[in-house]
Amino acid sequence: MSELNHTYLEALQMARWERPDIAALKRTAEGSWLLESHSMTARLKRHCHDFDVDVIAVYQLTPDKLTDGEIALIGQEACVVREVVLKGDGRPWLCARTLMPASTLEGQGGHLHALGTEPLGQHVFKQRASRRDAIETANVACLSHQLHARRSRLWLHNRPMLVAELFLPDSPVYGKEIPA
Ligand code: PHB
């Protein structure tokens, strides 16, 4: 794993997650990004020609390694962890770490194992039985930047996953939104 990706993932895991004041967050420039309830991939794709998912790591995590906050959101189960960097026109835009509990990966969630470079949200939001809730946000200090991060729970066929996302300095979150 590159030094930089390691730094991003470490910063993401140090985040102090808070339930946002939704009304106040909506009034900020980054609010509509952090509160995006549909696919973040679809949103990011509007800002680039080439969109890539670099899969940094996929590994198993035993239930004792989950934090209390994670357990409160997805239960205390063995998980598969998926760590990726999303790139727009070759520039790193978003670092994400997703916890997929074993029971989410059973049955209808089985193809999550074989996602590869298909973006997670793109896959999840193709399914009718999907939704996002429990959005939390954090400001994360990383390499002399103050970065926005969010954590949210994605439901697929009524089974949860937990997605933590760090918006990297070049991401369009910090610039001007192009109207849809
Ligand atoms: C992923 O493919 O793991 C992924 C994609 C987009 C996100 C988060 C995670 O916003």
Side-chain angles (χ1 to χ4, degrees), residues 10 36-38 44 49 56 92 100 132 138-139 162 168 174:
E10 210 168 59
E36 174 65 60
S37 61
H38 200 69
L44 290 169
H49 295 290
I56 308 303
M100 305 175 180
R132 190 193 300 276
N139 279 310
L162 193 61
L168 304 179
Y174 305 101

Side-chain angles (χ1 to χ4, degrees), residues 31-177:
S32 75
W33 284 94
L34 298 176
L35 295 169
E36 174 65 60
S37 61
H38 200 69
S39 165
M40 184 60 73
T41 297
R43 183 81 181 264
L44 290 169
K45 279 184 170 176
R46 297 203 330 238
H47 295 261
C48 60
H49 295 290
D50 297 314
F51 184 83
D52 293 301
V53 178
D54 280 1
V55 180
I56 308 303
V58 176
Y59 57 93
Q60 308 270 346
L61 202 66
T62 52
D64 56 300
K65 296 286 190 308
L66 297 174
T67 67
D68 290 344
E70 289 164 348
I71 292 166
L73 289 162
I74 54 169
Q76 189 159 23
E77 257 193 74
C79 286
V80 169
V81 184
R82 171 178 162 93
E83 296 173 339
V84 302
V85 170
L86 307 184
K87 289 183 170 170
D89 294 332
R91 305 184 124 214
W93 276 0
L94 187 140
C95 176
R97 178 176 189 266
T98 302
L99 296 174
M100 305 175 180
S103 60
T104 297
L105 293 166
E106 284 165 10
Q108 296 185 86
H111 29 268
L112 289 171
H113 271 306
L115 268 184
T117 55
E118 184 187 356
L120 172 73
Q122 182 168 294
H123 170 79
V124 168
F125 287 107
K126 265 195 278 186
Q127 323 289 318
R128 261 181 298 125
S130 61
R131 65 196 156 89
R132 190 193 300 276
D133 70 1
I135 294 178
E136 296 169 311
T137 57
N139 279 310
V140 174
C142 184
L143 304 168
S144 77
H145 295 279
Q146 275 296 125
L147 301 178
H148 296 302
R150 74 163 186 178
R151 182 167 78 172
S152 62
R153 186 168 48 187
L154 272 186
W155 293 90
L156 181 61
H157 304 294
N158 286 320
R159 307 278 192 165
M161 279 173 273
L162 193 61
V163 188
E165 294 161 311
L166 180 66
F167 293 92
L168 304 179
D170 283 340
S171 112
V173 177
Y174 305 101
K176 281 238 153 60
E177 175 86 353

